[in-house]
Amino acid sequence: MRKVSKILLILTVMLILTVIVSGCADSKDINEKRIFTAVALDKKNNEIYLYAEIANIEEANKGEGVSKKYIYVKGHGTTIPKARENLDRKLDKKPYGSAIRTIILTENFAKEDLVEYLYRNRADELYRKKVVTVITKEDPEKLFKISNEKHISIGFSIEEMLKTLEEAGESFSRTTSQLIENLSKRYSGFLLPCIGLQDNENSLIGYSVINNTTVDGFIPAEGSKGMIFIKTDKPKFDYIVPYKDNKFTIEVSLKKRKIKPYYANGKINFGMKFDFDSKLMYGDKKVPYNFDNAANAEVTKILTDQLKNEITDAVEQAQKKFKCDYFQFNDEFRIKFPVEFEKMNWQNEFSKASFNIDVKVKLSGTWMMDYENK
């Protein structure tokens, strides 16, 4: 309880400072507003449902006895503006949107209304433009109720979860401003983190494929390592490599990635080079492991083949299954061949492009030779 109260106190101070620094006309006392910390949108039977999570500042100021640190309100209507008007009529104070941490869109909503909502967000001066945006397959009301019962903010919890995964090199996040930038390009394909419930906890369950303006597929988190290695800056994962009668756990991190496009005789080719650093952490058997230079070479080859296969599968999945360049290879090609790119239908050309993938792995471990049988 004290931790949540502290978060609310920090949030309040931060918002007051934001209002003071901005000097905007809408600078009424923050206590006279309803502070939104998350927004979710769903679509059912041609009706749009808008959910807003609100920091319950007034109740939090009363002390430890408060039952709810965050509450939520629901509005609905046949259009986004009508849903917002319906929600506003249920508020006792003016809404404050600059504190929103996460925007949650259901697949049903995003399939038809993603572009309209992002442009609406851009036009609304009260909304932050760098809000983490995610997709969900869940009923938003269920997500809000579970967080509400646990006295936590769904907006803050999703934002912090994705931030933690990104810092660990295991995922990425996307903000509204990045999505609008993607949509402004001639060709738009990208990925959005997909949030679900696992054991009644918010969890990253995978990634939704956005092809131009609609949700067009789903990539489970469990099979996304190859995609992460192509997509993110500092990915890092643990791998288990079986060798003889042992299973070695190896930490793998991407040291360098280079993607270079080529174009000749009407054919597109990409050269992709990946340099990995890896560290043997431990095995599942009692030492000594007898891990000599020959064993190092064999385990390195097994790991190299596995990484190359994952990256190759990730590219082929984008090309063949989804027919969507959510890796933004088009940016690399457009910069190198701008004239040729303008004459192309990139969606068609991407599916026919060839990829030469080169993977190099350096396996180390300062303790490995200590366990070699002398």
Side-chain angles (χ1 to χ4, degrees):
M1 295 291 284
R2 289 181 179 177
K3 184 177 179 181
V4 177
S5 298
K6 184 177 180 181
I7 292 174
L8 285 171
L9 178 60
I10 293 172
L11 174 62
T12 304
V13 173
M14 181 179 66
L15 292 174
I16 293 172
L17 288 175
T18 301
V19 171
I20 293 173
V21 173
S22 66
C24 62
D26 188 28
S27 57
K28 296 176 68 176
D29 191 301
I30 203 68
N31 287 320
E32 297 180 32
K33 298 181 181 181
R34 284 302 184 189
I35 303 169
F36 288 6
T37 50
V39 166
L41 291 107
D42 190 14
K43 191 167 189 177
K44 299 175 183 176
N45 301 320
N46 294 319
E47 189 92 350
I48 290 173
Y49 291 83
L50 173 62
Y51 301 81
E53 180 181 69
I54 299 171
N56 202 4
I57 299 294
E58 289 179 340
E59 293 300 315
N61 290 336
K62 295 179 181 179
E64 297 294 328
V66 61
S67 59
K68 300 295 181 184
K69 302 296 184 180
Y70 296 90
I71 57 177
Y72 70 93
V73 180
K74 178 175 69 173
H76 61 93
T78 54
T79 65
I80 297 174
K82 288 183 178 180
R84 177 56 191 271
E85 291 169 4
N86 182 260
L87 184 143
D88 286 347
R89 288 194 293 269
K90 298 175 182 178
L91 299 175
D92 57 349
K93 297 179 181 179
K94 186 175 180 180
Y96 185 87
S98 295
I100 294 174
R101 314 314 302 174
T102 306
I103 292 175
I104 306 164
L105 309 175
T106 67
E107 287 186 333
N108 287 338
F109 177 86
K111 283 178 180 178
E112 298 180 8
D113 302 282
L114 173 65
V115 174
E116 179 185 354
Y117 182 73
L118 289 175
Y119 286 161
R120 176 182 173 85
N121 179 281
R122 180 178 63 180
D124 193 334
E125 296 180 356
L126 297 179
Y127 276 62
R128 291 173 61 235
K129 307 310 174 189
K130 294 185 177 181
V131 183
V132 171
T133 305
V134 300
I135 298 290
T136 187
K137 297 173 177 288
E138 305 282 354
D139 181 343
E141 190 151 9
K142 184 177 180 180
L143 293 175
F144 278 84
K145 281 184 176 179
I146 289 175
S147 293
N148 187 257
E149 290 168 358
K150 294 180 178 181
H151 307 285
I152 63 174
S153 162
I154 191 171
F156 277 95
S157 64
I158 291 177
E159 180 189 45
E160 289 300 314
M161 175 182 63
L162 291 176
K163 180 181 177 181
T164 300
L165 289 171
E166 189 167 359
E167 290 176 349
E170 298 178 14
S171 186
F172 61 88
S173 60
R174 286 292 177 267
T175 65
T176 50
S177 60
Q178 290 172 319
L179 300 183
I180 291 170
E181 181 182 350
N182 283 130
L183 290 172
S184 67
K185 297 177 181 178
R186 177 181 164 189
Y187 177 85
S188 296
F190 52 91
L191 297 169
L192 279 177
C194 186
I195 303 300
L197 288 170
Q198 293 185 342
D199 301 320
N200 261 6
E201 299 286 349
N202 295 327
S203 175
L204 174 67
I205 63 171
Y207 304 87
S208 294
V209 177
I210 312 298
N211 195 347
N212 282 323
T213 61
T214 185
V215 178
D216 204 28
F218 175 74
I219 301 172
E222 289 76 10
S224 65
K225 288 182 180 178
M227 180 266 290
I228 297 294
F229 285 133
I230 299 173
K231 188 74 178 171
T232 62
D233 292 331
K234 297 180 180 180
K236 182 165 61 175
F237 291 100
D238 286 345
Y239 280 77
I240 296 178
V241 177
Y243 177 69
K244 292 186 176 179
D245 61 345
N246 212 325
K247 293 180 180 178
F248 292 107
T249 296
I250 301 175
E251 181 184 86
V252 178
S253 58
L254 181 63
K255 180 181 178 182
K256 185 178 180 182
R257 176 182 60 227
K258 186 175 182 180
I259 300 174
K260 187 174 182 179
Y262 300 89
Y263 187 67
N265 301 319
K267 296 183 179 180
I268 299 171
N269 179 270
F270 283 90
M272 301 177 67
K273 294 184 178 181
F274 297 83
D275 291 335
F276 290 96
D277 279 338
S278 61
K279 184 184 297 184
L280 197 157
M281 306 299 289
Y282 52 84
D284 68 339
K285 297 292 190 298
K286 184 178 178 181
V287 296
Y289 292 148
N290 301 319
F291 202 92
D292 56 14
N293 290 334
N296 186 305
E298 290 188 51
V299 170
T300 298
K301 184 181 185 309
I302 294 171
L303 182 59
T304 301
D305 290 343
Q306 184 174 352
L307 291 168
K308 184 173 181 178
N309 288 337
E310 288 180 346
I311 293 170
T312 300
D313 289 346
V315 173
E316 290 183 352
Q317 183 172 241
Q319 282 188 293
K320 310 304 180 184
K321 181 177 180 179
F322 298 116
K323 296 180 173 33
C324 177
D325 179 17
Y326 42 74
F327 292 118
Q328 280 87 53
F329 290 122
N330 61 308
D331 286 340
E332 301 284 349
F333 187 86
R334 176 180 51 80
I335 292 171
K336 185 77 178 289
F337 304 101
V339 176
E340 292 83 352
F341 180 79
E342 288 302 316
K343 298 176 182 178
M344 292 178 176
N345 180 325
W346 182 255
Q347 183 131 354
N348 293 335
E349 296 300 325
F350 169 67
S351 297
K352 297 184 292 184
S354 59
F355 289 81
N356 296 321
I357 299 171
D358 180 41
V359 174
K360 289 184 171 59
V361 177
K362 180 181 178 181
L363 177 60
S364 63
T366 56
W367 57 269
M368 287 194 301
M369 300 307 292
D370 295 341
Y371 295 133
E372 182 180 351
N373 191 20
K374 301 295 186 180

